[in-house]
Amino acid sequence: MDTKIINLQLLDQSEVDTAYAEAAGIIREGGLVAFPTETVYGLGANALDEQAAAKIYAAKGRPSDNPLIAHISREQQLEEIAAYIPETARILMKHYWPGPLTMIFRKKDIVPRGTTGGLDTVAVRMPDHPVARRLIDAAGVPIAAPSANLSGRPSPTTAERTAEDMEGKIEMILDGGPCRIGIESTIVDMTEDIPVILRPGFITYEMLRELLGEVRKDRALDAKEWRYFRPKAPGQKYRHYAPKAPMTLVEGGIEAVTAKICDLTDASIREGKKVGVICTDETEACYHQGIVKSMGSRVRLESVAHNLYEILREFDETGVEVIYSEAFPSDELGFAVMNRLVKAAGHKEIQV
Ligand code: AMP
Ligand code: MG
């Protein structure tokens, strides 16, 4: 299949109108369009069309029991697909929609099980990216859209990275420039009496607790307990976000961490290996060997979230054979950043 890549930033007004009309037509006819959101690029299909959803799983190579998030642009669309919307959800909608927050509801029959991985719940998000919103409006249906990467790979945060994984497999990629946030939405299960965070994201546990009083973290998110619990978000059970080279996270006081990574790097280089080091602006000068990349500043974790996936993909291109990465404190946005890093490392962590 020929994938049409359309850079919206280079078009004039009437060409932009034509591009959205064409993209919306593809979605309505059951095809696939990748598009930018404020979190990462999404791989979109009509969420109400089981066969279209099946194409998403095929293009990504994703296990079909891993449900998809339905993206909407108006609140009315939530009423059409969710069977029950609790008051707590209305509070969250008021504060964080449109934005990087996904909520899980009991689904209505109109949503096929092919979209929800066989579950009778549906995950819903209203993105705030103008391209995503206009595409959903133009299509006139909720758009199911997982991250537009091959299953297991780091999520794409630019159209170029999306094309790397999806060119030849889907009808169209809309290029709207790099994503602002860089990691996926926070997922909260609203079907429980006390809302449960299934995936941490830019909207933090602390922010949700401040608004709702009570919020829980799914036990599968606890690094020490993840092995023993059947995860509620099926995505949690798969190896994820991973660079090609094996990666080890080093956790502890920052001086001990940099010293340990220097030792590990030294040892790997002596074994003849090409080494990658993932660090931060504050620690970059501590490393003198291997390919060293800073994700951003420790005091501005948004910068780390923004660059994380891009750096994992850059390391794939350098052909490093082993990666050592600094860890972060797991509160506030650090919870989401660490969730991705721990998975990228396949839970390989060293405490110092
Ligand atoms: P992605 O589409 O790559 O952002 O991943 C979507 C995540 O949302 C996956 O980890 C899914 O398991 C999770 N998800 C989507 N729908 C549901 C649902 N109904 N219940 C629980 N988790 C869900
Ligand atoms: Mg994903």
Side-chain angles (χ1 to χ4, degrees):
M1 180 186 307
D2 250 359
T3 301
K4 196 161 175 180
I5 303 178
I6 299 184
N7 187 338
L8 293 163
Q9 295 139 306
L10 302 179
L11 305 184
D12 69 28
Q13 200 48 59
S14 76
E15 290 168 328
V16 167
D17 294 345
T18 310
Y20 279 106
E22 192 181 342
I26 292 169
I27 297 282
R28 276 196 303 271
E29 281 156 31
L32 303 182
V33 177
F35 60 96
T37 78
E38 69 276 26
T39 58
V40 301
Y41 270 71
L43 179 56
N46 180 353
L48 306 181
D49 176 346
E50 201 147 33
Q51 266 139 35
K55 289 185 194 166
I56 291 181
Y57 291 105
K60 281 181 65 89
R62 177 176 187 153
S64 61
D65 65 345
N66 193 353
L68 307 172
I69 296 172
H71 292 70
I72 60 173
S73 56
R74 288 169 294 108
E75 280 184 17
Q76 175 55 31
Q77 287 174 302
L78 178 63
E79 314 281 346
E80 287 161 17
I81 58 179
Y84 173 66
I85 304 164
E87 196 46 43
T88 43
R90 299 207 184 267
I91 296 171
L92 293 184
M93 280 159 69
K94 193 154 160 272
H95 280 81
Y96 293 120
W97 276 11
L101 176 72
T102 297
M103 288 187 268
I104 291 171
F105 303 96
R106 301 243 155 266
K107 77 173 189 66
K108 282 191 173 163
D109 288 344
I110 188 177
V111 183
R113 287 215 156 72
T115 300
T116 65
L119 301 174
D120 57 9
T121 53
V122 61
V124 189
R125 177 164 104 82
M126 187 189 286
D128 82 357
H129 195 290
V131 174
R133 294 177 68 80
R134 186 159 168 193
L135 177 63
I136 299 164
D137 272 341
V141 289
I143 297 185
S147 50
N149 51 281
L150 292 174
S151 190
R153 299 216 60 212
S155 305
T157 56
T158 63
E160 291 76 17
R161 293 302 188 192
T162 302
E164 254 175 43
D165 284 15
M166 289 300 148
E167 196 159 12
K169 298 194 161 116
I170 64 177
E171 279 83 357
M172 184 182 279
I173 298 172
L174 291 176
D175 182 351
C179 302
R180 178 168 59 86
I181 291 173
I183 56 171
E184 301 84 348
S185 60
T186 307
I187 302 181
V188 188
D189 185 352
M190 306 307 292
T191 66
E192 304 273 348
D193 288 338
I194 299 171
V196 184
I197 298 178
L198 301 185
R199 176 174 74 188
F202 196 75
I203 308 294
T204 63
Y205 168 74
E206 289 81 357
M207 289 156 81
L208 295 170
R209 202 183 44 189
E210 185 171 330
L211 211 51
L212 300 180
E214 268 189 312
V215 183
R216 293 209 329 259
K217 296 176 183 177
D218 189 75
R219 289 213 274 186
L221 295 177
D222 184 324
K224 289 168 202 72
E225 297 199 51
W226 70 276
R227 253 175 277 259
Y228 308 109
F229 294 96
R230 195 187 147 72
K232 182 111 191 244
Q236 293 169 337
K237 75 185 175 206
Y238 299 107
R239 184 164 184 246
H240 240 103
Y241 318 126
K244 289 174 186 155
M247 175 169 150
T248 301
L249 263 179
V250 183
E251 210 168 356
I254 197 63
E255 272 165 34
V257 165
T258 52
K260 182 70 180 176
I261 291 180
C262 285
D263 285 351
L264 289 165
T265 303
D266 196 49
S268 294
I269 287 173
R270 274 190 275 114
E271 284 170 19
K273 287 194 178 139
K274 193 167 176 184
V275 181
V277 174
I278 300 181
C279 64
T280 48
D281 295 350
E282 289 82 358
T283 55
E284 199 169 0
C286 301
Y287 304 105
H288 306 290
Q289 296 188 91
I291 300 176
V292 179
K293 290 180 188 285
S294 168
M295 288 197 288
S297 168
R298 288 185 164 268
V299 295
R300 260 189 5 98
L301 276 191
E302 312 87 77
S303 60
V304 173
H306 180 81
N307 295 323
L308 194 154
Y309 288 135
E310 179 59 25
I311 283 187
L312 293 178
R313 283 188 177 243
E314 282 176 17
F315 270 124
D316 284 349
E317 291 170 343
T318 63
V320 292
E321 296 160 272
V322 54
I323 300 173
Y324 299 112
S325 174
E326 295 177 5
F328 294 87
S330 286
D331 60 345
E332 306 205 337
L333 191 50
F335 185 35
V337 166
M338 279 299 287
N339 171 264
R340 306 315 191 270
L341 285 175
V342 165
K343 285 187 178 180
H347 292 269
K348 241 191 301 128
E349 292 176 74
I350 298 176
Q351 300 283 337
V352 290

